[in-house]
Amino acid sequence: MTGTNPLAALSEAGVSIWLDDLSRDRLNTGNLVSLIENQHVVGVTTNPTIFAGALSKGTAYDEQVGELAARGAGLDQAVRELTTTDVRNACDVFRGVYSGSDGVDGRVSIEVDPRLAHDTERTTAEALDLWKTVDRPNLMVKIPATVEGLPAITKALSEGVSVNVTLIFSVARYLDVMDAYLAGLEQAKANGHDLSTISSVASFFVSRVDSEIDKRLEAKGTPEAQALRGQAAIANARLAYAAYEDVFGSERWQRLEQNGARPQRPLWASTGVKDPNYSDTQYVDQLVAPNVVNTMPEKTLFAVQDHGQIIGDTVRGTAEQAQELFDALAEAGIDVDDVYAVLEREGVEKFEKSWEELLQTVTDQLARAKG
């Protein structure tokens, strides 16, 4: 792959490049189309933080906010219309990619209200409502992998909804997510749905694992602990890929595959590097494997294009080495189960906070539009 554009090399190695950002400016200026044409971007993900940032900047939303204010739309309705308009339009931008990849890529994700993360019934209802509201076959509804989210994932899939499962931190929870996916497909088949139209990714968060474990290793202060810094996130994702290979090599999966089902691909999320001491492309270079998605912030995307080191598959066959790292972390006194629990709790809380910021921004904009 020497001499090849690193983004092209990544794509050739079987990694789908998705952008972890969406805004009306990106849609209106043609920036999103440019990224598809020039940076090998084949999908986009959104979350409450992304929408809060997009709506707080510039004037791109003013016209629609004015229309919503004029007809007396309530706050929740206004937020729903503003966000689903962007997502629907992005789905249309990616429709060619969707068709050209036989529905594998060209996907756009929208998150259920994060305040519902521990409410199975309301998460399910919102997922179904978002699916109907956006009304595009290349949509994915994001549902968090909380304990309460798992049955909502199964139920949404059983109704034919494509799902992006988000906020996965541990391999143990990832196994639960894959089980929820298979159960959803089994129920969808019983409900008469065409399994080939149902798609899913499992968003395994990467950088936050290093951030939390590195903090605890530094607190230990020993040379042995310091030597383990910056390795856990990649090892964690590599163990997740080994689990993916096991589940999607099983007889249970093969029965579904014979009925047209597609595997739920692992998606590497939170791949922007937070520690400046680390390579800014390591969560891309070191996580190359067939049939995965890497959703990158734009900064990471262009860093990979500029100086990414894509040497082919860097994941398969690494599970034993990855497990040895986790054994060493346990010996160093790191409680990884507690790490995962903290990360899930903080992940939900961060999205809830962003949602509140989004609500406040739209409240202020509606008030200004009403004069």
Side-chain angles (χ1 to χ4, degrees):
M1 296 186 187
T2 309
T4 308
N5 171 341
L7 294 174
L10 195 60
S11 184
E12 286 163 18
V15 178
S16 290
I17 301 166
W18 291 6
L19 178 71
D20 193 23
D21 191 49
L22 182 65
S23 68
R24 196 152 299 179
D25 272 337
R26 283 197 192 279
L27 290 159
N28 291 347
T29 61
N31 168 266
L32 197 56
V33 172
S34 174
L35 291 171
I36 294 167
E37 292 174 350
N38 302 312
Q39 275 74 39
H40 300 269
V41 169
V42 293
V44 67
T45 48
T46 68
N47 61 44
T49 305
I50 285 166
F51 276 129
L55 273 141
S56 66
K57 294 181 194 121
T59 60
Y61 295 92
D62 287 2
E63 184 181 344
Q64 190 179 9
V65 169
E67 291 168 3
L68 289 162
R71 69 169 202 257
L75 177 59
D76 287 339
Q77 182 63 27
V79 169
R80 174 62 57 90
E81 289 197 32
L82 289 162
T83 56
T84 56
T85 297
D86 278 0
V87 167
R88 187 181 302 108
N89 291 338
C91 283
D92 292 343
V93 169
F94 278 103
R95 193 60 179 266
V97 175
Y98 172 74
S99 302
S101 64
D102 191 28
V104 174
D105 283 311
R107 297 281 175 173
V108 183
S109 298
I110 187 170
E111 193 125 6
V112 296
D113 183 336
R115 296 172 300 179
L116 308 179
H118 300 293
D119 188 325
T120 302
E121 277 70 33
R122 289 174 68 199
T123 291
T124 305
E126 175 141 336
L128 295 172
D129 187 58
L130 284 167
W131 182 253
K132 289 180 186 128
T133 300
V134 174
D135 192 27
R136 295 292 186 272
N138 50 332
L139 178 72
M140 280 186 168
V141 179
K142 291 176 88 169
I143 299 176
T146 55
V147 169
E148 298 85 358
L150 295 168
I153 291 159
T154 296
K155 178 64 175 168
L157 290 160
S158 78
E159 299 286 345
V161 176
S162 291
V163 176
N164 176 340
V165 183
T166 188
L167 289 176
I168 308 170
F169 296 98
S170 72
V171 175
R173 183 59 56 82
Y174 180 39
L175 289 167
D176 293 338
V177 166
M178 289 188 283
D179 181 67
Y181 178 61
L182 299 184
L185 291 182
E186 287 158 353
Q187 291 175 28
K189 181 174 177 287
N191 291 342
H193 288 284
D194 175 358
L195 298 191
S196 70
T197 66
I198 303 170
S199 186
S200 184
V201 292
S203 295
F204 208 86
F205 279 54
V206 182
S207 64
R208 295 184 194 180
V209 173
D210 270 344
S211 297
E212 183 64 26
I213 288 181
D214 283 1
K215 184 171 72 178
R216 297 181 186 212
L217 288 167
E218 282 165 19
K220 297 287 178 193
T222 65
E224 293 82 4
Q226 296 286 359
L228 298 172
R229 291 176 69 254
Q231 300 175 64
I234 289 165
N236 200 37
R238 287 172 170 174
L239 288 172
Y241 191 85
Y244 156 78
E245 289 185 300
D246 284 347
V247 170
F248 290 96
S250 68
E251 285 183 23
R252 183 184 181 192
W253 164 247
Q254 285 161 7
R255 285 193 296 274
L256 288 162
E257 191 174 36
Q258 285 158 10
N259 284 281
R262 300 165 183 262
Q264 180 190 54
R265 292 184 294 168
L267 178 152
W268 312 131
S270 184
T271 54
V273 173
K274 294 180 168 59
D275 188 324
N277 294 309
Y278 301 154
S279 161
D280 58 356
T281 64
Q282 69 175 26
Y283 299 135
V284 181
D285 301 347
Q286 298 302 310
L287 292 175
V288 178
N291 304 315
V292 301
V293 179
N294 194 312
T295 183
M296 307 176 207
E298 188 176 56
K299 184 178 174 186
T300 302
L301 178 75
F302 282 108
V304 173
Q305 178 175 274
D306 181 65
H307 53 266
Q309 300 292 313
I310 310 302
I311 57 168
D313 189 336
T314 50
V315 174
R316 286 186 296 184
T318 62
E320 192 175 329
Q321 188 181 358
Q323 187 54 55
E324 285 171 3
L325 178 81
F326 276 91
D327 294 343
L329 287 168
E331 273 183 44
I334 302 300
D335 182 348
V336 291
D337 289 336
D338 183 65
V339 167
Y340 299 139
V342 166
L343 288 172
E344 180 181 297
R345 186 177 68 248
E346 287 182 350
V348 172
E349 286 170 357
K350 281 174 184 170
F351 281 165
E352 284 179 349
K353 186 180 175 200
S354 295
W355 194 259
E356 297 294 346
E357 288 169 6
L358 174 62
L359 292 173
Q360 188 58 53
T361 298
V362 176
T363 297
D364 295 344
Q365 289 177 347
L366 286 169
R368 274 200 304 275
K370 287 172 184 169

